[in-house]
Amino acid sequence: MTTIADNIAQVRSRIHAAEQAAQRAAGSVQLLAVSKTKPAQALREAYAAGLRDFGENYLQEALGKQAELTDLPLIWHFIGPIQSNKTRAIAEHFDWVHSVDRLKIAQRLSEQRPAELPPLNICIQVNVSGEASKSGCTPTDLPALAKAIAALPCLKLRGLMAIPEPTDDRAEQDAAFAAVQRLQASLDLPLDTLSMGMSHDLESAITQGATWVRIGTALFGARDYGQTPN
Ligand SMILES: *Cc1c(COP(=O)(O)O)cnc(C)c1O
């Protein structure tokens, strides 16, 4: 039986190989463990094997795990779609939000970020797959949105996030991730983060400049959505 620790070692070696293939520095890509639908015990195992950053999509589920894991110094990333009525709890309980795609949500996160906490790290989710995806701002709307978010006091705009339409075609993966990197470069802002690449396409994303890969299945196994919260 493979354990979470085995899976982490395997994903780390994929990341390392991709960094080398892209002639990028070892350690330039960070691993975000996507733990949605997985129990707190799985996060404990991943922590014991060295992971600190965890990504969650569903607020109530995430808050439950956070309450069970207060003894561990974990860094929490919100990566799912955001409704307005969830912004306060997200601003209070997370360190990063990767899935901001409209100004109203960013404004609420900034207003609701507790003063004693450091600025909330933000990635703007951008849609590079056209009508195939409903989440993410359009490339056309991105420059104005980025400029407005960068000016909000309690947020720190770090970069872009994307979830391209899934494909096994490496050239198509590369093209989508390259488009995200170009959009990032076209913004006249000091950004250091590209959150892109999942279990099936992390190699391509790393070639195109990813700094966070968000990995669920390859670490924790397939997800059972039988009783998804929210
Ligand atoms: C579920 C999810 C992932 C992880 O996907 P895997 O294919 O399981 O690695 C990454 N990013 C987001 C936004 C997700 O919702």
Side-chain angles (χ1 to χ4, degrees), residues 34 36 57 79 161 163 198-200 214-217 223:
V34 176
K36 62 183 177 225
N57 296 57
I79 64 172
M161 183 275 242
I163 312 173
M198 316 202 315
S199 294
H200 70 285
R214 306 179 312 271
I215 309 299
T217 310
R223 286 179 289 273

Side-chain angles (χ1 to χ4, degrees), residues 103-182:
L103 185 57
K104 180 185 167 201
I105 293 295
Q107 285 168 332
R108 290 174 64 95
L109 290 170
S110 183
E111 284 161 14
Q112 295 167 342
R113 180 69 168 170
E116 69 274 16
L117 295 181
L120 183 58
N121 294 294
I122 300 290
C123 295
I124 297 175
Q125 184 175 352
V126 61
N127 175 7
V128 290
S129 300
E131 287 175 6
S133 167
K134 12 187 221 331
S135 304
C137 80
T138 65
T140 311
D141 291 342
L142 176 65
L145 179 61
K147 197 164 171 234
I149 291 178
L152 292 172
C154 299
L155 305 184
K156 184 168 174 53
L157 180 62
R158 301 294 297 266
L160 303 184
M161 183 275 242
I163 312 173
E165 190 182 4
T167 169
D168 291 331
D169 183 311
R170 176 62 190 258
E172 286 178 23
Q173 293 174 0
D174 286 353
F177 291 129
V180 183
Q181 190 178 39
R182 275 199 307 276

Side-chain angles (χ1 to χ4, degrees), residues 161-213:
M161 183 275 242
I163 312 173
E165 190 182 4
T167 169
D168 291 331
D169 183 311
R170 176 62 190 258
E172 286 178 23
Q173 293 174 0
D174 286 353
F177 291 129
V180 183
Q181 190 178 39
R182 275 199 307 276
L183 285 169
Q184 164 111 308
S186 74
L187 298 172
D188 190 19
L189 292 167
L191 305 177
D192 61 8
T193 299
L194 277 177
S195 168
M196 56 188 197
M198 316 202 315
S199 294
H200 70 285
D201 58 9
L202 70 88
E203 282 83 3
S204 169
I206 289 171
T207 307
Q208 307 305 322
T211 62
W212 282 109
V213 289

